[in-house]
mmCIF file of all heavy atoms in Angstrom:
data_model
loop_
_atom_site.group_PDB
_atom_site.id
_atom_site.type_symbol
_atom_site.label_atom_id
_atom_site.label_comp_id
_atom_site.label_asym_id
_atom_site.label_seq_id
_atom_site.Cartn_x
_atom_site.Cartn_y
_atom_site.Cartn_z
ATOM 1 N N ASP K 9 -17.997 22.023 0.104
ATOM 2 C CA ASP K 9 -16.858 21.374 0.760
ATOM 3 C C ASP K 9 -17.322 20.299 1.740
ATOM 4 O O ASP K 9 -16.736 19.222 1.814
ATOM 5 C CB ASP K 9 -15.983 22.407 1.476
ATOM 6 C CG ASP K 9 -15.186 23.261 0.509
ATOM 7 O OD1 ASP K 9 -15.043 22.872 -0.678
ATOM 8 O OD2 ASP K 9 -14.706 24.330 0.940
ATOM 9 N N ARG K 10 -18.408 20.570 2.471
ATOM 10 C CA ARG K 10 -18.956 19.566 3.389
ATOM 11 C C ARG K 10 -19.469 18.356 2.610
ATOM 12 O O ARG K 10 -19.286 17.213 3.027
ATOM 13 C CB ARG K 10 -20.067 20.163 4.249
ATOM 14 C CG ARG K 10 -19.563 21.043 5.385
ATOM 15 C CD ARG K 10 -20.663 21.374 6.380
ATOM 16 N NE ARG K 10 -21.763 22.128 5.803
ATOM 17 C CZ ARG K 10 -21.791 23.459 5.670
ATOM 18 N NH1 ARG K 10 -20.765 24.181 6.084
ATOM 19 N NH2 ARG K 10 -22.836 24.055 5.150
ATOM 20 N N LEU K 11 -20.097 18.616 1.465
ATOM 21 C CA LEU K 11 -20.581 17.517 0.634
ATOM 22 C C LEU K 11 -19.415 16.679 0.104
ATOM 23 O O LEU K 11 -19.495 15.453 0.053
ATOM 24 C CB LEU K 11 -21.424 18.045 -0.528
ATOM 25 C CG LEU K 11 -22.798 18.589 -0.156
ATOM 26 C CD1 LEU K 11 -23.434 19.282 -1.353
ATOM 27 C CD2 LEU K 11 -23.687 17.487 0.373
ATOM 28 N N LEU K 12 -18.337 17.341 -0.288
ATOM 29 C CA LEU K 12 -17.159 16.615 -0.769
ATOM 30 C C LEU K 12 -16.564 15.749 0.336
ATOM 31 O O LEU K 12 -16.135 14.619 0.086
ATOM 32 C CB LEU K 12 -16.105 17.581 -1.317
ATOM 33 C CG LEU K 12 -16.443 18.224 -2.669
ATOM 34 C CD1 LEU K 12 -15.486 19.372 -2.967
ATOM 35 C CD2 LEU K 12 -16.395 17.191 -3.772
ATOM 36 N N GLU K 13 -16.546 16.260 1.548
ATOM 37 C CA GLU K 13 -16.046 15.470 2.677
ATOM 38 C C GLU K 13 -16.951 14.272 2.944
ATOM 39 O O GLU K 13 -16.471 13.174 3.222
ATOM 40 C CB GLU K 13 -15.917 16.338 3.934
ATOM 41 C CG GLU K 13 -14.774 17.329 3.872
ATOM 42 C CD GLU K 13 -13.425 16.667 3.689
ATOM 43 O OE1 GLU K 13 -13.135 15.650 4.354
ATOM 44 O OE2 GLU K 13 -12.644 17.172 2.861
ATOM 45 N N SER K 14 -18.254 14.485 2.846
ATOM 46 C CA SER K 14 -19.200 13.381 3.036
ATOM 47 C C SER K 14 -18.999 12.317 1.968
ATOM 48 O O SER K 14 -19.076 11.123 2.238
ATOM 49 C CB SER K 14 -20.646 13.897 2.981
ATOM 50 O OG SER K 14 -20.907 14.752 4.057
ATOM 51 N N GLU K 15 -18.736 12.762 0.751
ATOM 52 C CA GLU K 15 -18.510 11.831 -0.358
ATOM 53 C C GLU K 15 -17.251 11.005 -0.100
ATOM 54 O O GLU K 15 -17.231 9.800 -0.327
ATOM 55 C CB GLU K 15 -18.422 12.629 -1.669
ATOM 56 C CG GLU K 15 -18.257 11.798 -2.903
ATOM 57 C CD GLU K 15 -16.803 11.594 -3.250
ATOM 58 O OE1 GLU K 15 -15.977 12.429 -2.868
ATOM 59 O OE2 GLU K 15 -16.507 10.589 -3.896
ATOM 60 N N LYS K 16 -16.207 11.629 0.420
ATOM 61 C CA LYS K 16 -14.980 10.895 0.753
ATOM 62 C C LYS K 16 -15.261 9.857 1.844
ATOM 63 O O LYS K 16 -14.718 8.755 1.809
ATOM 64 C CB LYS K 16 -13.892 11.865 1.224
ATOM 65 C CG LYS K 16 -13.305 12.700 0.116
ATOM 66 C CD LYS K 16 -12.272 13.668 0.641
ATOM 67 C CE LYS K 16 -11.789 14.591 -0.443
ATOM 68 N NZ LYS K 16 -10.868 15.618 0.070
ATOM 69 N N TYR K 17 -16.104 10.218 2.790
ATOM 70 C CA TYR K 17 -16.471 9.292 3.866
ATOM 71 C C TYR K 17 -17.214 8.086 3.293
ATOM 72 O O TYR K 17 -16.986 6.951 3.726
ATOM 73 C CB TYR K 17 -17.309 10.020 4.912
ATOM 74 C CG TYR K 17 -17.743 9.147 6.059
ATOM 75 C CD1 TYR K 17 -16.796 8.576 6.917
ATOM 76 C CD2 TYR K 17 -19.083 8.875 6.293
ATOM 77 C CE1 TYR K 17 -17.184 7.768 7.973
ATOM 78 C CE2 TYR K 17 -19.480 8.074 7.341
ATOM 79 C CZ TYR K 17 -18.526 7.529 8.179
ATOM 80 O OH TYR K 17 -18.920 6.727 9.216
ATOM 81 N N LEU K 18 -18.069 8.309 2.303
ATOM 82 C CA LEU K 18 -18.780 7.199 1.663
ATOM 83 C C LEU K 18 -17.796 6.241 0.989
ATOM 84 O O LEU K 18 -17.953 5.027 1.059
ATOM 85 C CB LEU K 18 -19.800 7.737 0.650
ATOM 86 C CG LEU K 18 -21.028 8.412 1.253
ATOM 87 C CD1 LEU K 18 -21.856 9.087 0.173
ATOM 88 C CD2 LEU K 18 -21.871 7.425 2.030
ATOM 89 N N HIS K 19 -16.774 6.795 0.332
ATOM 90 C CA HIS K 19 -15.743 5.950 -0.271
ATOM 91 C C HIS K 19 -15.031 5.131 0.805
ATOM 92 O O HIS K 19 -14.750 3.942 0.615
ATOM 93 C CB HIS K 19 -14.704 6.798 -1.018
ATOM 94 C CG HIS K 19 -15.096 7.144 -2.411
ATOM 95 N ND1 HIS K 19 -15.076 6.243 -3.442
ATOM 96 C CD2 HIS K 19 -15.526 8.310 -2.950
ATOM 97 C CE1 HIS K 19 -15.460 6.821 -4.547
ATOM 98 N NE2 HIS K 19 -15.757 8.088 -4.280
ATOM 99 N N LYS K 20 -14.759 5.766 1.935
ATOM 100 C CA LYS K 20 -14.077 5.081 3.035
ATOM 101 C C LYS K 20 -14.922 3.911 3.538
ATOM 102 O O LYS K 20 -14.392 2.822 3.799
ATOM 103 C CB LYS K 20 -13.801 6.061 4.173
ATOM 104 C CG LYS K 20 -13.080 5.451 5.339
ATOM 105 C CD LYS K 20 -12.857 6.467 6.440
ATOM 106 C CE LYS K 20 -12.249 5.775 7.639
ATOM 107 N NZ LYS K 20 -12.381 6.550 8.855
ATOM 108 N N LEU K 21 -16.224 4.125 3.648
ATOM 109 C CA LEU K 21 -17.110 3.056 4.099
ATOM 110 C C LEU K 21 -17.087 1.887 3.124
ATOM 111 O O LEU K 21 -17.094 0.725 3.544
ATOM 112 C CB LEU K 21 -18.538 3.572 4.275
ATOM 113 C CG LEU K 21 -18.765 4.541 5.423
ATOM 114 C CD1 LEU K 21 -20.189 5.079 5.401
ATOM 115 C CD2 LEU K 21 -18.456 3.885 6.761
ATOM 116 N N LEU K 22 -17.056 2.186 1.838
ATOM 117 C CA LEU K 22 -16.958 1.107 0.843
ATOM 118 C C LEU K 22 -15.630 0.370 0.980
ATOM 119 O O LEU K 22 -15.581 -0.854 0.910
ATOM 120 C CB LEU K 22 -17.104 1.659 -0.575
ATOM 121 C CG LEU K 22 -18.511 1.985 -1.047
ATOM 122 C CD1 LEU K 22 -18.481 2.522 -2.461
ATOM 123 C CD2 LEU K 22 -19.430 0.789 -0.956
ATOM 124 N N ASP K 23 -14.548 1.131 1.167
ATOM 125 C CA ASP K 23 -13.228 0.517 1.319
ATOM 126 C C ASP K 23 -13.185 -0.417 2.519
ATOM 127 O O ASP K 23 -12.545 -1.468 2.483
ATOM 128 C CB ASP K 23 -12.144 1.591 1.474
ATOM 129 C CG ASP K 23 -11.911 2.387 0.200
ATOM 130 O OD1 ASP K 23 -12.276 1.886 -0.889
ATOM 131 O OD2 ASP K 23 -11.366 3.503 0.297
ATOM 132 N N GLU K 24 -13.875 -0.020 3.575
ATOM 133 C CA GLU K 24 -13.881 -0.808 4.811
ATOM 134 C C GLU K 24 -14.985 -1.864 4.826
ATOM 135 O O GLU K 24 -15.194 -2.521 5.836
ATOM 136 C CB GLU K 24 -14.023 0.129 6.015
ATOM 137 C CG GLU K 24 -12.840 1.058 6.176
ATOM 138 C CD GLU K 24 -13.039 2.094 7.276
ATOM 139 O OE1 GLU K 24 -14.155 2.181 7.857
ATOM 140 O OE2 GLU K 24 -12.083 2.825 7.547
ATOM 141 N N GLN K 25 -15.699 -1.982 3.734
ATOM 142 C CA GLN K 25 -16.773 -2.966 3.569
ATOM 143 C C GLN K 25 -17.863 -2.820 4.633
ATOM 144 O O GLN K 25 -18.421 -3.805 5.102
ATOM 145 C CB GLN K 25 -16.212 -4.389 3.557
ATOM 146 C CG GLN K 25 -15.251 -4.628 2.419
ATOM 147 C CD GLN K 25 -14.690 -6.039 2.405
ATOM 148 O OE1 GLN K 25 -14.897 -6.802 3.333
ATOM 149 N NE2 GLN K 25 -13.998 -6.374 1.336
ATOM 150 N N GLN K 26 -18.173 -1.607 4.967
ATOM 151 C CA GLN K 26 -19.253 -1.325 5.916
ATOM 152 C C GLN K 26 -20.491 -0.932 5.104
ATOM 153 O O GLN K 26 -20.901 0.218 5.058
ATOM 154 C CB GLN K 26 -18.832 -0.213 6.870
ATOM 155 C CG GLN K 26 -17.666 -0.599 7.740
ATOM 156 C CD GLN K 26 -17.263 0.500 8.690
ATOM 157 O OE1 GLN K 26 -17.990 1.470 8.901
ATOM 158 N NE2 GLN K 26 -16.090 0.357 9.275
ATOM 159 N N TYR K 27 -21.097 -1.936 4.479
ATOM 160 C CA TYR K 27 -22.131 -1.694 3.488
ATOM 161 C C TYR K 27 -23.435 -1.172 4.075
ATOM 162 O O TYR K 27 -24.082 -0.309 3.489
ATOM 163 C CB TYR K 27 -22.377 -2.957 2.665
ATOM 164 C CG TYR K 27 -21.113 -3.463 2.022
ATOM 165 C CD1 TYR K 27 -20.615 -4.728 2.290
ATOM 166 C CD2 TYR K 27 -20.382 -2.649 1.165
ATOM 167 C CE1 TYR K 27 -19.448 -5.185 1.713
ATOM 168 C CE2 TYR K 27 -19.206 -3.091 0.583
ATOM 169 C CZ TYR K 27 -18.742 -4.363 0.856
ATOM 170 O OH TYR K 27 -17.583 -4.794 0.289
ATOM 171 N N GLU K 28 -23.833 -1.672 5.230
ATOM 172 C CA GLU K 28 -25.069 -1.191 5.835
ATOM 173 C C GLU K 28 -24.943 0.275 6.214
ATOM 174 O O GLU K 28 -25.839 1.076 5.954
ATOM 175 C CB GLU K 28 -25.436 -2.031 7.055
ATOM 176 C CG GLU K 28 -25.916 -3.416 6.691
ATOM 177 C CD GLU K 28 -26.329 -4.223 7.904
ATOM 178 O OE1 GLU K 28 -26.835 -3.618 8.873
ATOM 179 O OE2 GLU K 28 -26.155 -5.443 7.870
ATOM 180 N N GLN K 29 -23.821 0.629 6.814
ATOM 181 C CA GLN K 29 -23.597 2.016 7.186
ATOM 182 C C GLN K 29 -23.492 2.878 5.924
ATOM 183 O O GLN K 29 -23.956 4.012 5.906
ATOM 184 C CB GLN K 29 -22.337 2.153 8.043
ATOM 185 C CG GLN K 29 -22.188 3.528 8.645
ATOM 186 C CD GLN K 29 -21.036 3.605 9.623
ATOM 187 O OE1 GLN K 29 -20.312 2.659 9.836
ATOM 188 N NE2 GLN K 29 -20.852 4.775 10.204
ATOM 189 N N PHE K 30 -22.893 2.323 4.859
ATOM 190 C CA PHE K 30 -22.799 3.044 3.592
ATOM 191 C C PHE K 30 -24.198 3.398 3.083
ATOM 192 O O PHE K 30 -24.446 4.531 2.674
ATOM 193 C CB PHE K 30 -22.054 2.215 2.545
ATOM 194 C CG PHE K 30 -22.126 2.808 1.156
ATOM 195 C CD1 PHE K 30 -21.279 3.841 0.792
ATOM 196 C CD2 PHE K 30 -23.045 2.340 0.241
ATOM 197 C CE1 PHE K 30 -21.352 4.396 -0.468
ATOM 198 C CE2 PHE K 30 -23.130 2.886 -1.034
ATOM 199 C CZ PHE K 30 -22.276 3.915 -1.390
ATOM 200 N N LEU K 31 -25.112 2.432 3.107
ATOM 201 C CA LEU K 31 -26.461 2.688 2.610
ATOM 202 C C LEU K 31 -27.158 3.778 3.419
ATOM 203 O O LEU K 31 -27.831 4.643 2.865
ATOM 204 C CB LEU K 31 -27.281 1.402 2.620
ATOM 205 C CG LEU K 31 -26.862 0.347 1.605
ATOM 206 C CD1 LEU K 31 -27.667 -0.930 1.802
ATOM 207 C CD2 LEU K 31 -27.008 0.861 0.185
ATOM 208 N N GLN K 32 -26.978 3.744 4.732
ATOM 209 C CA GLN K 32 -27.582 4.764 5.590
ATOM 210 C C GLN K 32 -26.988 6.140 5.288
ATOM 211 O O GLN K 32 -27.708 7.128 5.150
ATOM 212 C CB GLN K 32 -27.380 4.418 7.056
ATOM 213 C CG GLN K 32 -28.123 3.182 7.497
ATOM 214 C CD GLN K 32 -27.692 2.705 8.881
ATOM 215 O OE1 GLN K 32 -26.753 3.228 9.461
ATOM 216 N NE2 GLN K 32 -28.390 1.706 9.394
ATOM 217 N N GLN K 33 -25.661 6.199 5.200
ATOM 218 C CA GLN K 33 -24.994 7.470 4.945
ATOM 219 C C GLN K 33 -25.284 7.984 3.540
ATOM 220 O O GLN K 33 -25.350 9.187 3.314
ATOM 221 C CB GLN K 33 -23.485 7.336 5.162
ATOM 222 C CG GLN K 33 -23.093 7.122 6.598
ATOM 223 C CD GLN K 33 -23.529 8.264 7.493
ATOM 224 O OE1 GLN K 33 -23.384 9.437 7.154
ATOM 225 N NE2 GLN K 33 -24.094 7.937 8.644
ATOM 226 N N GLN K 34 -25.461 7.060 2.598
ATOM 227 C CA GLN K 34 -25.773 7.453 1.232
ATOM 228 C C GLN K 34 -27.130 8.161 1.191
ATOM 229 O O GLN K 34 -27.296 9.171 0.509
ATOM 230 C CB GLN K 34 -25.784 6.222 0.333
ATOM 231 C CG GLN K 34 -26.061 6.522 -1.120
ATOM 232 C CD GLN K 34 -26.143 5.258 -1.947
ATOM 233 O OE1 GLN K 34 -26.459 4.182 -1.434
ATOM 234 N NE2 GLN K 34 -25.860 5.373 -3.223
ATOM 235 N N GLU K 35 -28.083 7.645 1.940
ATOM 236 C CA GLU K 35 -29.402 8.268 2.001
ATOM 237 C C GLU K 35 -29.306 9.658 2.620
ATOM 238 O O GLU K 35 -29.891 10.621 2.114
ATOM 239 C CB GLU K 35 -30.343 7.383 2.817
ATOM 240 C CG GLU K 35 -31.781 7.805 2.742
ATOM 241 C CD GLU K 35 -32.689 6.812 3.435
ATOM 242 O OE1 GLU K 35 -32.549 5.605 3.181
ATOM 243 O OE2 GLU K 35 -33.543 7.270 4.214
#
Side-chain angles (χ1 to χ4, degrees):
D9 288 343
R10 283 192 298 275
L11 288 171
L12 287 168
E13 288 301 316
S14 295
E15 183 268 335
K16 288 178 186 175
Y17 180 64
L18 288 171
H19 275 286
K20 181 181 175 198
L21 291 174
L22 282 180
D23 291 339
E24 295 174 354
Q25 299 180 352
Q26 296 180 14
Y27 304 120
E28 288 182 33
Q29 190 173 2
F30 170 81
L31 291 175
Q32 293 169 353
Q33 291 300 316
Q34 182 184 26
E35 190 174 312

